[in-house]
Structure formats: structure tokens, C-alpha cells
Amino acid sequence: MSNPRGAQDTQTTTGTTSPSPNLTGDPQDATYTPAPAVGEQPPVAVDPVGAGTAPGPTATDTTVGTGTADDTDLGAGTGGEYYSPRDVDGDGNVDLIHTRIEGVETITHIDEDGSITLVEQDTDGNGTYETGIAPTATGIRLAEDLDDDGTVDLATHLDPATGAPVRQDVIEDGRITDTRLDTTADGNPDVHLIDSNGDGRFDTALLDTDLDGITNDTLVDTNGDGTFDLRTADTDNDGTQESFDTATDGHLGSIEQFEALIPAEDHYHEQAGTYPAETPADQTATDLA
């Protein structure tokens, strides 16, 4: 699982909540101002990874950003760095800040108390904002539109203290179909959950129980009842599953134990119709290939 913290590090600082002569009520007619000179400090930001930041709305699983700023006016006639605070609703307070820093276009959305709720970026310079970073109740969510079709394809959840990825979701047609989790915080995914039949709920779990990057056990719910009825295992750790076990009594466990690793308020539980009360305190250490 790669560390996408670099995309987040290009965030700019936010504006204040007081009126500014650089504000405009219509982002189409926003006035661009030069980027602050070296040593000159722009208005202080609320860091979305800092302690005490109020959680904002999570970027949706179907879109990245809202396209608030007009893509056609970016860097009009300059090509340099710039900083443009904007008052979209005309109330005299900054609602978003549009910047270009080292060629990366960024729109930072700000709520009424000055907290950052969403950061959108055009990291490849093609005029579309394919990356959205938003604080959540449990950390930070980095959403990416990998094919520029306007929908999220990959969502990475970051630890708010370290910025390390702790979970990564593959999203197809607005549904999470594949999730990799790092439950041991060693920087490598250790549980791989798959929705193989497209019904919205995971039915397969791949586990690397000895944390060496090789899948040791694969559990499958073949009939969709929430319990695993097939287990295959790599007994000699050569990367090939040699043995298998079947069950009808539920002794192989259920998908719920892994769904409980996903926060209860997460979009996955909405699509799957599962709402765990809390994560079990005595989780078994697992890891995924």
C-alpha cells in the first residue's frame, strides 16, 4: 500500500473568517493575487490532519469535488503561483481558496468556523480535479478519480497522526468492491476483503497471518449467508493454497468479524446493510498479501 501523503502535503493555508478586499461573490469573476512572497505568511490554516480539527464531510464515493472554481480561468496570463481567497455566497467571509503552487491547482473549501472540509487538487495538470482530501470522524480520506471520468475509483484512508494509509478501497459504480486493511500498522495491508458477486457485501477474506506478504488463508462465503463455508490454506508458505476445508456449521467464522474493522459510519455499511456497534477489542492479528 503506497503512502499518498505527498498529495496532501501540497495543501495551501486557509483564509480567515473576516472580510477581505480580495474576496468576490462569484468564483467565475474571482480576482487573482500573487502567491505570498518567501517569508510572507498567508492567513493561518486549520490543518485537516491536526489535532482538534472538526471533522468535515467525507468526499463522496461517486464524485471528486464540486468544480466550484472555473477551470478555464486558472492562471490567466501568468502561469505562476497565486493565491485567491473567495467568498462564494457573498457573506463577507472566505468560503474557498484557489491556489496554484508548483503547478498544482488546489481548491480548499472552508466552513463557517474556518475549518477545512475538503481539499481538491488537479495533480496531473489536465484541468480536472481528480483528487479530493477530506477529514472524517476517524482520520483523513483521500479520494482519487484515476480515469478522469468524474467518479472516485480509489479511496485511501490515512492515519491522522502519521499520514500512513490504514485502508484502501477500490470503488466501482459507486460501490466498494475491494478493501485492503493494515491492521498491524506496519505499513503493509494484512486483510484483503472482496465482494466477488457484486451484491454490495464482502464474501471473501484473504489473510496473511504471519505478516510476510504471502496469503496464508482464504475464507469464502459461497452461499451469501454471511458465514464462511470454504477455507483454503497455504500450509508450507510457498504462495500456493494446498489444503481446503468446508463447513456448514459456521465454525470457519463470519464476514462480520472483518466488517467490524470498518468504522460503523462508513459508506460500506450503508451499501452492505451492516452497521456494527463497535470494533471488537480482542481482534486476531492478521495480514494480507
Side-chain angles (χ1 to χ4, degrees), residues 20-282:
S20 164
N22 291 329
L23 298 184
T24 174
D26 185 354
Q28 302 286 345
D29 302 321
T31 301
Y32 289 90
T33 59
V38 176
E40 180 182 349
Q41 296 298 319
V44 177
V46 178
D47 185 352
V49 302
T53 300
T58 304
T60 70
D61 283 324
T62 56
T63 60
V64 176
T66 59
T68 304
D70 181 9
D71 291 337
T72 62
D73 68 359
L74 304 183
T78 64
E81 296 187 352
Y82 55 86
Y83 173 89
S84 175
R86 303 182 180 186
D87 176 18
V88 177
D89 56 13
D91 66 354
N93 298 320
V94 174
D95 301 306
L96 60 84
I97 298 175
H98 183 197
T99 64
R100 174 187 285 160
I101 299 175
E102 297 182 354
V104 176
E105 304 286 353
T106 302
I107 300 176
T108 303
H109 298 254
I110 307 163
D111 67 10
E112 293 181 353
D113 66 3
S115 297
I116 295 174
T117 60
L118 175 65
V119 177
E120 300 173 86
Q121 290 186 322
D122 175 13
T123 59
D124 56 14
N126 69 349
T128 61
Y129 290 86
E130 79 288 336
T131 303
I133 306 166
T136 68
T138 56
I140 300 164
R141 182 177 182 272
L142 171 64
E144 298 174 86
D145 175 9
L146 303 178
D147 55 9
D148 281 326
D149 67 350
T151 62
V152 175
D153 304 301
L154 186 67
T156 304
H157 299 260
L158 310 175
D159 182 286
T162 66
V166 295
R167 175 179 146 217
Q168 197 165 69
D169 299 330
V170 174
I171 301 170
E172 299 178 4
D173 298 324
R175 284 190 168 190
I176 298 171
T177 61
D178 184 298
T179 289
R180 297 172 187 255
L181 302 105
D182 176 11
T183 65
T184 60
D186 66 350
N188 297 305
D190 46 63
V191 175
H192 186 181
L193 305 177
I194 301 171
D195 172 14
S196 63
N197 60 11
D199 67 353
R201 189 177 189 187
F202 296 130
D203 49 61
T204 303
L206 290 78
L207 314 175
D208 176 9
T209 57
D210 56 8
L211 311 181
D212 64 353
I214 297 175
T215 298
N216 302 104
D217 297 291
T218 300
L219 300 169
V220 183
D221 172 16
T222 63
N223 59 11
D225 67 353
T227 61
F228 297 118
D229 40 61
L230 173 64
R231 172 182 177 267
T232 61
D234 179 3
T235 57
D236 57 7
N237 213 43
D238 67 350
T240 301
Q241 309 266 300
E242 298 96 2
S243 68
F244 71 93
D245 184 18
T246 58
T248 57
D249 58 2
H251 79 268
L252 294 179
S254 71
I255 196 66
E256 290 181 354
Q257 63 186 299
F258 301 107
E259 291 174 323
L261 298 172
I262 302 172
E265 68 276 7
D266 189 87
H267 171 66
Y268 167 76
H269 295 288
E270 178 183 351
Q271 76 175 38
T274 57
Y275 298 92
E278 60 184 19
T279 302
D282 56 346

Side-chain angles (χ1 to χ4, degrees), residues 4-30:
R5 183 68 181 272
Q8 181 173 297
D9 289 340
T10 59
Q11 294 176 38
T12 185
T13 53
T14 72
T16 66
T17 56
S18 59
S20 164
N22 291 329
L23 298 184
T24 174
D26 185 354
Q28 302 286 345
D29 302 321

